[in-house]
Amino acid sequence: MFLFRSTQHCARYLSSTAHLKHAAKMGTKVESPMGELAGKPLYLDAQATTPLDPRVLDAMLPFMTSAYGNPHSRTHAYGWESEKAVENAREEVASLIGCDPKEIIFTSGATESNNIAVKGVARFYASKKKHIITTQTEHKCVLDSCRVLEGEGFSITYLPVGTNGIIDLEELEKAITPQTSLVSIMTVNNEIGVKQPIQEIGAICKAKKVFFHTDAAQAIGKLEIDVSQQNIDLMSISGHKVYGPKGIGALYVRRRPRVRVEPIQSGGGQERGMRSGTVPTPLVVGLGEACRIAKKEMKYDHAWMEKLSQRLLNRIFSSLTHVVRNGDPVHSYPGCVNLSFAYVEGESLLMALKDVALSSGSACTSASLEPSYVLRAIGADEDLAHSSIRFGFGRFTTLEEVDYTAERCIKDVERLRNMSPLWEMVQEGIDLKSIKWTQH
Amino acid sequence: MTVSKSSVLKLYKALIREGSKFPSYNYRMYTLRRVRDAFHENKTTTDPSKIEELYKEGLSNLEIIKRQVVVNQLFRPEKLIIEAEK
């Protein structure tokens, strides 16, 4: 008996690993209830990452094949060729944000840029100033860098945001003290797509003589950014959010007036000593090309994002009630739409919508079932924070994909609500907030 | 060099033809949409030097599309659910 059960178990185990291997080889194939393979899910998670633009790959391939020189090799043609490509890319990045190429530092991504900016500025000016201001809705890497600084004796102010996700400028002004060295506020939020008033924040920081860092990973190439006009002193850029490769990013560091940062990585002193390590030529070329295309295509892409998000919102709001859009509807990037479907659990909806690659929030925290801290910061009710879904559109998203998603979403929300006792009570006119769920 | 109307038309057709060879649904649909919109947007352009500049850009994009179609065919993506349903 035992033997029989163990072989059966073993057989099941083998078939499940075979399935996994198959899935890993073929990409995730979704099996329909009929048993046959239905096709790969649609991709609507552009805030997590974007597909590489074929034009970007085309620019990168020569540097992954024949042009393999180290850009820091000064003694031969292989090095010169790579160095030239790196400097061209630096110019493209600089031209997109209106700065001097010398002010661009290549890093491994926005997380590293944010680390260098926040920790670097704080530590360099630590002997005179020990206060940093940020917001509650920043990306995890900024918040976590701030936590580390708190451990080193810095004091941090985490500014609250309004229900629309935007900070109060008066509160920012009040929070700045003579002890403040840095204000770090993101340009576009990764979960709710809200745009912060960067220009106004920049003006306040300039007037108060405080450095201003912004995490623009979600905004670069999608919205007009000009570091001199908006008084930005440091800015983080990511490659894979603008149809560029993963593993590359950049940090803008102002030269006049000079912003000093203490480097995190020690080594050969590349990138003006702020980021040692060989610059990865193919990735840098990819980021440069992605920025060049983004600058050229910004208007066209933006109009497309508006068309797609309007289409989705119209479809969903005309068929479903009790849907809340999280974040300010006007001051936001249209490629990111975050909706809460009341009386539906977000994770159940994501499971039901397995034909579409969506997320309930940031990819970095998507493993946890905790509701998003961003949604809690904008004051969303616990149940609404649990029922949120982020729809992220990109350059390669089609109208058909949006229609399919909207249709599936409406169908699944209706189905899940019909199973929900809470929804039944709401239909009967019972105010759920008046119910005492537990007896004490 | 002035670019004749027939060579512009030829370029347009070549871009559409090559672009529709992308195995990836998203790359294919984007390329077709972008090419159509670009030609539509510049329909009223009359300045010969501007036309020449756009023509050259189109030619270089055609080369990129041809190369990237090959790459995409080598690493052929799985069909998306909406393609399978059609």
Side-chain angles (χ1 to χ4, degrees):
Chain A
M1 179 65 188
F2 173 73
L3 194 75
F4 172 69
R5 274 179 62 180
S6 73
T7 45
Q8 200 181 27
H9 177 83
C10 201
R12 201 186 301 155
Y13 174 74
L14 276 176
S15 75
S16 73
T17 50
H19 174 79
L20 276 179
K21 262 188 203 156
H22 177 74
K25 203 170 143 196
M26 302 297 290
T28 38
K29 278 204 174 180
V30 180
E31 278 186 42
S32 78
M34 307 298 284
E36 80 258 23
L37 298 167
K40 214 176 174 184
L42 308 180
Y43 190 75
L44 254 78
D45 200 10
Q47 276 70 43
T49 191
T50 51
L52 194 66
D53 192 298
R55 290 166 285 193
V56 173
L57 181 62
D58 200 72
M60 286 168 69
L61 279 172
F63 296 93
M64 303 181 101
T65 47
S66 49
Y68 49 79
N70 184 326
H72 314 295
S73 296
R74 289 286 166 81
T75 50
H76 50 69
Y78 289 84
W80 303 332
E81 172 183 54
S82 291
E83 190 193 14
K84 192 171 165 243
V86 167
E87 293 319 311
N88 282 344
R90 207 186 294 279
E91 272 167 37
E92 297 292 358
V93 180
S95 133
L96 179 63
I97 61 167
C99 73
D100 190 276
K102 288 192 189 106
E103 296 174 310
I104 297 292
I105 306 293
F106 290 118
T107 65
S108 65
T111 291
E112 191 187 343
S113 300
N114 284 335
N115 269 273
I116 297 176
V118 174
K119 291 179 188 164
V121 168
R123 286 176 185 160
F124 192 90
Y125 297 95
S127 58
K128 289 180 210 141
K129 296 172 168 187
K130 294 212 101 169
H131 178 231
I132 310 285
I133 298 171
T134 186
T135 72
Q136 291 175 355
T137 56
E138 286 304 300
H139 190 270
K140 263 263 146 69
C141 62
V142 170
L143 294 176
D144 221 49
S145 295
C146 288
R147 288 258 178 270
V148 169
L149 291 172
E150 267 181 293
E152 293 173 16
F154 288 86
S155 67
I156 316 280
T157 302
Y158 299 94
L159 287 177
V161 292
T163 48
N164 57 0
I166 297 172
I167 64 149
D168 184 346
L169 291 170
E170 268 177 41
E171 249 174 279
L172 169 69
E173 215 163 341
K174 270 188 254 165
I176 298 176
T177 70
Q179 274 288 302
T180 311
S181 60
L182 182 75
V183 171
S184 178
I185 295 174
M186 73 201 320
T187 315
V188 169
N189 186 274
N190 53 321
E191 288 194 31
I192 52 177
V194 163
K195 285 191 276 190
Q196 297 292 353
I198 292 303
Q199 178 118 21
E200 288 81 353
I201 297 169
I204 292 172
C205 291
K206 193 181 181 189
K208 298 247 178 182
K209 293 197 168 56
V210 176
F211 291 132
F212 173 36
H213 164 249
T214 185
D215 172 6
Q218 299 286 351
I220 276 294
K222 293 164 187 169
L223 303 167
E224 293 279 358
I225 292 178
D226 188 307
V227 288
S228 49
Q229 197 201 328
Q230 294 171 314
N231 294 311
I232 298 166
D233 296 308
L234 301 111
M235 183 162 72
S236 303
I237 295 168
S238 174
H240 72 111
K241 315 276 189 194
V242 269
Y243 316 97
K246 289 159 188 67
I248 187 74
L251 176 66
Y252 156 76
V253 185
R254 183 178 286 282
R255 294 214 317 160
R256 275 190 211 102
R258 193 166 175 202
V259 180
R260 310 283 301 266
V261 301
E262 198 182 287
I264 291 175
Q265 197 155 299
S266 322
Q270 289 92 344
E271 300 301 279
R272 287 169 55 209
M274 285 185 238
R275 207 278 187 178
S276 288
T278 301
V279 170
T281 318
L283 299 181
V284 165
V285 168
L287 175 63
E289 181 65 6
C291 286
R292 189 189 67 80
I293 296 167
K295 189 179 180 186
K296 204 165 149 275
E297 298 286 305
M298 200 181 291
K299 262 200 194 129
Y300 181 81
D301 282 347
H302 199 267
W304 187 245
M305 292 306 113
E306 257 166 11
K307 191 170 175 179
L308 294 179
S309 64
Q310 268 318 311
R311 182 106 155 193
L312 181 85
L313 290 169
N314 286 343
R315 297 261 155 130
I316 287 183
F317 279 99
S318 63
S319 310
L320 293 173
T321 56
H322 298 83
V323 182
V324 178
R325 179 165 183 189
N326 297 307
D328 196 285
V330 182
H331 298 283
S332 63
Y333 169 62
C336 178
V337 177
N338 192 313
L339 300 176
S340 281
F341 300 91
Y343 317 114
V344 171
E345 221 262 316
E347 297 296 323
S348 330
L349 185 55
L350 283 179
M351 298 272 266
L353 280 167
K354 61 179 189 296
D355 292 346
V356 188
L358 288 163
S359 161
S360 55
S362 158
C364 313
T365 45
S366 69
S368 85
L369 287 172
E370 278 282 293
S372 131
Y373 63 86
V374 174
L375 293 181
R376 269 193 292 192
I378 63 170
D381 284 340
E382 186 87 354
D383 53 335
L384 278 178
H386 264 298
S387 62
S388 78
I389 299 242
R390 181 181 67 183
F391 299 87
F393 311 121
R395 185 180 283 164
F396 301 104
T397 310
T398 67
L399 282 173
E400 289 75 24
E401 287 178 300
V402 171
D403 289 349
Y404 182 91
T405 306
E407 190 193 310
R408 289 303 300 259
C409 185
I410 291 163
K411 235 169 42 192
D412 282 321
V413 167
E414 279 171 350
R415 188 175 57 81
L416 289 167
R417 278 181 178 171
N418 283 335
M419 297 195 300
S420 155
L422 293 179
W423 178 245
E424 211 172 299
M425 288 159 91
V426 172
Q427 298 303 86
E428 284 164 9
I430 301 169
D431 180 14
L432 294 178
K433 291 214 166 72
S434 69
I435 299 171
K436 271 183 83 176
W437 296 101
T438 47
Q439 288 180 321
H440 288 293
Chain B
M1 184 188 114
T2 47
V3 184
S4 70
K5 207 173 171 179
S6 69
S7 42
V8 171
L9 204 66
K10 218 174 121 191
L11 173 67
Y12 175 76
K13 281 184 177 162
L15 284 164
I16 294 290
R17 188 180 59 240
E18 296 303 320
S20 55
K21 289 181 188 167
F22 266 119
S24 150
Y25 165 83
N26 294 92
Y27 288 167
R28 186 171 69 244
M29 299 308 271
Y30 171 76
T31 309
L32 298 181
R33 170 168 69 88
R34 191 68 195 94
V35 168
R36 285 192 187 115
D37 286 348
F39 277 80
H40 190 79
E41 201 185 296
N42 294 302
K43 223 167 75 177
T44 48
T45 307
T46 46
D47 177 9
S49 65
K50 178 77 186 160
I51 291 176
E52 195 189 326
E53 184 195 317
L54 289 165
Y55 183 73
K56 278 187 179 155
E57 196 189 319
L59 283 180
S60 100
N61 275 324
L62 180 61
E63 290 309 308
I64 295 177
I65 291 169
K66 280 182 180 168
R67 282 193 297 268
Q68 290 304 309
V69 162
V70 173
V71 173
N72 204 223
Q73 281 168 346
L74 289 173
F75 302 91
R76 195 173 273 274
E78 230 178 302
K79 279 221 183 313
L80 290 185
I81 187 135
I82 48 172
E83 296 176 277
E85 278 186 359
K86 271 173 196 167

